[in-house]
Amino acid sequence: MRRSPKEADFGIAAFGLQLGDRVPATESVEGDELSRYRLERSGFKRFCEISAEIGTETIGSTAATRCLERAGVDPGEVDYVIVVCTSVPEYLIWDLSAAVAAEAGCHRASTLLLSQGCGSALLGLEQAAGIFATRPEVDKILYVGVDRLSARHQRRSGTATTDSDGAVAMLLTRSSPRLTLVSTAQTTLGRHHELFRLPYCGRIASCLPDDAANSKVDVDEATMAYFGDDPEKLIEWAADCDRAVIDALEKCCAVAEIKAESLDHLLMLHDRRDSMLQLTTSLGVPADRTNIGMAAMLGHFGGSDPLICLAILDGTDKLSEGQQIGMLGLSSGMQCFAAVMAV
């Protein structure tokens, strides 16, 4: 099996998690029958919630601290910090990666912030590989994926996903013998770049009109409107997305010299249960090798879904040497990301 070039050879030395309290998903749609109906169809049972008073940087730095403690590494030894966050940050013109590094005590580390939607965490693995390949002085990268609900801009539930609060941190080190990156791939469907774009609080509409909020936008209705209320166009778009995701994973598998159906684990974006099942069927991967069950009990953490599931699996006996793990991400843009890792 091929692996990434030697210059970019790295693996995951340790994980750290900070997940919110588990809450029944029905609590997020009380009194809203349409959202309740959509929730029932989605398959989500619970979500993770962290108090709105706790900052996103604190959620991320808590996971980071746990990761470093588990690895036995002092924060001052970290050379680089990568932070992935797909949600709306606390402030404009604010670098969350610098904030997480400072709060975690990584004061000598360079930092990078990624926010390319719900595939960002997988895309960031490429960035880590590039840093290792071009910066010989970098030996340890602290990689943090953090997401939390911004109630003014997002609904917790009642759309395609049920959003959760939490973070995963990984310590990436050179020549790690375990959980190494084999390949990555990306497919972009740029013609749909306007889908899922929030209408308010940017340069075009910097202030909210009276009685308006991004959280009041019905994503399903907005999506149908984008396609001119033509269900055939919506179905065609969904099929395009599935093909693009499959194409990205098959590119990864080709580099790894394996077939998608031979993957020991497939970790996907936490989407509607039927969408996840359809994707696994198309790839020929049995559902019991996927994170469909975890998705229902955890909710959606933006770009961090596959990495949170990988961290959870790493704490069990389900990972063994020689296994291959496929990971998939799909985000607005439309961006499709994939990666294959070896245990």
Side-chain angles (χ1 to χ4, degrees):
M1 180 175 62
R2 296 182 191 174
R3 296 180 184 272
S4 294
K6 182 174 178 57
E7 294 83 0
D9 183 23
F10 69 93
I12 303 172
F15 290 96
L17 285 171
Q18 168 65 351
L19 305 182
D21 296 329
R22 304 286 179 90
V23 181
T26 51
E27 290 191 12
S28 66
V29 293
E30 289 181 355
D32 185 343
E33 291 306 315
L34 177 58
S35 293
R36 179 179 290 274
Y37 168 72
R38 290 171 176 169
L39 174 63
E40 290 174 352
R41 292 191 63 194
S42 74
F44 286 101
K45 304 298 183 186
R46 295 184 182 277
F47 62 85
C48 298
E49 184 176 36
I50 294 176
S51 169
E53 297 178 358
I54 298 175
T56 307
E57 71 276 21
T58 300
I59 299 172
S61 65
T62 301
T65 298
R66 289 175 177 171
C67 174
L68 294 175
E69 288 176 348
R70 190 160 292 151
V73 170
D74 186 271
E77 298 177 49
V78 174
D79 303 299
Y80 211 106
V81 175
I82 297 176
V83 174
V84 177
C85 183
T86 63
S87 187
V88 179
E90 273 79 346
Y91 306 102
L92 297 175
I93 317 178
W94 180 63
D95 191 333
L96 178 63
S97 66
V100 169
E103 192 159 322
C106 303
H107 298 302
R108 74 175 189 84
S110 301
T111 73
L112 174 67
L113 177 63
L114 300 174
S115 58
Q116 199 168 357
C118 294
S120 302
L122 298 188
L123 178 65
L125 295 174
E126 290 185 351
Q127 310 309 309
I131 292 166
F132 278 126
T134 60
R135 300 272 297 271
E137 76 279 11
V138 173
D139 184 62
K140 297 178 179 67
I141 296 178
L142 183 60
Y143 191 106
V144 181
V146 56
D147 234 80
R148 58 105 36 83
L149 181 77
S150 176
R152 186 166 187 175
H153 298 285
Q154 300 161 276
R155 296 182 178 198
R156 175 74 75 180
S157 192
T159 58
T161 60
T162 292
D163 291 339
S164 282
D165 308 327
V168 57
M170 309 184 301
L171 182 64
L172 310 181
T173 60
R174 289 185 184 275
S175 302
S176 175
R178 191 168 177 272
L179 290 174
T180 56
L181 183 67
V182 177
S183 57
T184 62
Q186 176 184 2
T187 304
T188 302
L189 302 176
R191 63 187 178 278
H192 296 307
H193 65 90
E194 294 184 1
L195 262 177
F196 307 118
R197 186 179 67 193
L198 295 177
Y200 306 117
C201 300
R203 181 181 65 84
I204 300 300
S206 57
C207 298
L208 287 170
D210 291 341
D211 197 35
N214 288 318
S215 60
K216 294 183 179 180
V217 175
D218 188 306
V219 175
D220 287 352
E221 288 184 3
T223 302
M224 281 302 301
Y226 173 83
F227 291 108
D229 292 319
D230 186 337
E232 290 186 4
K233 290 183 179 179
L234 177 67
I235 292 170
E236 182 181 351
W237 162 75
D240 282 348
C241 289
D242 281 350
R243 281 192 293 269
V245 170
I246 290 170
D247 178 59
L249 183 62
E250 288 182 341
K251 287 178 181 176
C252 283
C253 289
V255 172
E257 298 178 336
I258 59 174
K259 296 290 186 182
E261 58 264 28
S262 70
L263 289 166
D264 298 285
H265 303 277
L266 179 62
L267 306 178
M268 301 171 283
L269 174 86
H270 294 175
D271 201 352
R272 291 186 175 101
R273 180 179 175 83
D274 57 355
S275 297
M276 296 178 77
L277 283 170
Q278 183 174 331
L279 196 56
T280 59
T281 299
S282 298
L283 289 166
V285 179
D288 61 3
R289 290 192 219 159
T290 74
N291 59 334
I292 292 176
M294 283 191 280
M297 302 308 293
L298 289 170
H300 172 52
F301 298 89
S304 300
D305 291 344
L307 299 182
I308 285 175
C309 291
L310 181 60
I312 292 172
L313 281 177
D314 191 54
T316 70
D317 59 359
K318 294 181 179 180
L319 295 185
S320 57
E321 186 176 352
Q323 288 185 338
Q324 291 114 17
I325 303 166
M327 297 189 289
L328 297 175
L330 172 67
S331 69
S332 55
M334 302 291 295
Q335 301 286 348
C336 307
F337 304 109
V340 170
M341 301 194 78
V343 181

